[in-house]
């Protein structure tokens, strides 16, 4: 199986009556994606995927569908502010449950309200605001960045983060994005493959030092 053959589904709960804040949803999706990996019981479904581009698909579900589909998600349900997300192990598109495949991918855009304050010392996911990414696209890029950060940590640090998971999202203009990337502790830089919304080779996200 080639790395490009599999994709990690991440589901966002989207409540039209009480929508979550954009940045909370992005953070919740990123945390869920990493927690699914941290909770793995074996590496068969993960090894090739992690060694490749660890492709993700972020899909939105209404409250009832989300509750049903995510009941046994390996990540559990991640809650940040009003946002809820859950993630699964990588799988082929054709092997996804039909109910997941039928969920919408494009057009997921939540309001840019005040996000929930970060809880404790959490990684800060920096996104390039000037790209105008939708909530779904930003969530996928943030999930890439947080996983890349997680994979670089020592085992003890990985375990400590998984025991008290969290992240916060900061969207900055291109100039500040480049400057922040040069600071100590920043990276790895995520460069998009250009499959949706933005051009290939575009820098999108990275993780900075945790908030003290």
């Amino acid at each position: 199986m080639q790395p490009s053959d599999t994709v990690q589904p991440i589901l966002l709960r989207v409540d039209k009556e009480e929508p979550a804040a954009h940045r909370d949803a992005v953070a919740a999706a990123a945390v869920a994606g990493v927690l699914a990996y941290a909770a793995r019981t074996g590496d068969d479904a993960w090894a090739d995927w992690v060694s490749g581009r660890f492709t993700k698909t972020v899909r939105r579900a209404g409250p009832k569908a989300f509750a049903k589909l995510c009941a046994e998600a390996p990540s559990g349900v991640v809650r940040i502010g009003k946002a809820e997300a859950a993630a699964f192990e990588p799988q082929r598109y054709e092997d996804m449950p039909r109910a997941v495949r039928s969920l919408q991918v494009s057009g997921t855009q939540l309001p840019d309200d005040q996000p929930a304050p970060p809880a404790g010392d959490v990684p800060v996911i920096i996104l390039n605001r000037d790209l105008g990414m939708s909530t779904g696209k930003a969530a996928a890029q943030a999930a890439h960045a947080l996983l890349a950060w997680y994979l670089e940590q020592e085992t003890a640090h990985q375990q400590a983060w998984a025991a008290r998971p969290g992240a916060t999202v900061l969207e900055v203009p291109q100039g500040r994005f480049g400057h922040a990337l040069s600071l100590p502790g920043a990276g790895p830089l995520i460069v998009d493959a250009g499959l949706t919304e933005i051009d290939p080779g575009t820098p999108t996200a990275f993780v900075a030092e945790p908030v003290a």
Side-chain angles (χ1 to χ4, degrees), residues 12-167:
L12 277 176
R13 179 182 182 272
V14 175
D15 188 334
K16 294 181 179 179
E17 300 300 323
E18 296 185 24
H22 164 79
R23 281 172 287 172
D24 284 346
V26 171
V31 171
V34 179
L35 282 180
Y37 176 75
R40 69 196 187 282
T41 56
D43 287 328
D44 289 348
W46 296 93
D48 287 340
W49 180 80
V50 168
S51 67
R53 296 185 305 189
F54 33 87
T55 305
K56 299 172 178 63
T57 178
V58 178
R59 295 165 182 256
R60 64 182 182 271
K64 290 184 179 179
F66 180 88
K68 181 177 180 180
L69 292 171
C70 298
E72 298 182 3
S75 66
V77 175
V78 174
R79 297 176 177 86
I80 297 179
K82 293 181 180 179
E84 294 186 2
F88 302 84
E89 67 180 24
Q91 53 201 272
R92 295 175 184 269
Y93 277 106
E94 57 267 30
D95 294 335
M96 287 183 196
R98 182 176 296 180
V100 174
R101 290 203 312 268
S102 67
L103 296 175
Q104 292 294 316
V105 178
S106 62
T108 301
Q109 185 62 60
L110 294 174
D112 194 17
D113 294 338
Q114 185 68 26
D121 297 342
V122 297
V124 181
I125 305 169
I126 309 293
L127 294 174
N128 187 340
R129 188 180 68 195
D130 288 353
L131 299 178
M133 293 183 286
S134 67
T135 301
K137 181 68 173 181
Q141 299 305 299
H144 294 337
L146 191 62
L147 179 61
W149 169 84
Y150 177 88
L151 292 172
E152 286 198 338
Q153 306 307 305
E154 298 290 340
T155 300
H157 195 183
Q158 290 179 342
Q159 293 173 343
W161 180 87
R164 298 187 64 183

Side-chain angles (χ1 to χ4, degrees), residues 172-184 186 206:
V172 300
Q174 176 66 44
R176 286 182 59 196
F177 183 86
H179 174 70
L181 184 59
S182 68
L183 297 176
F206 62 91

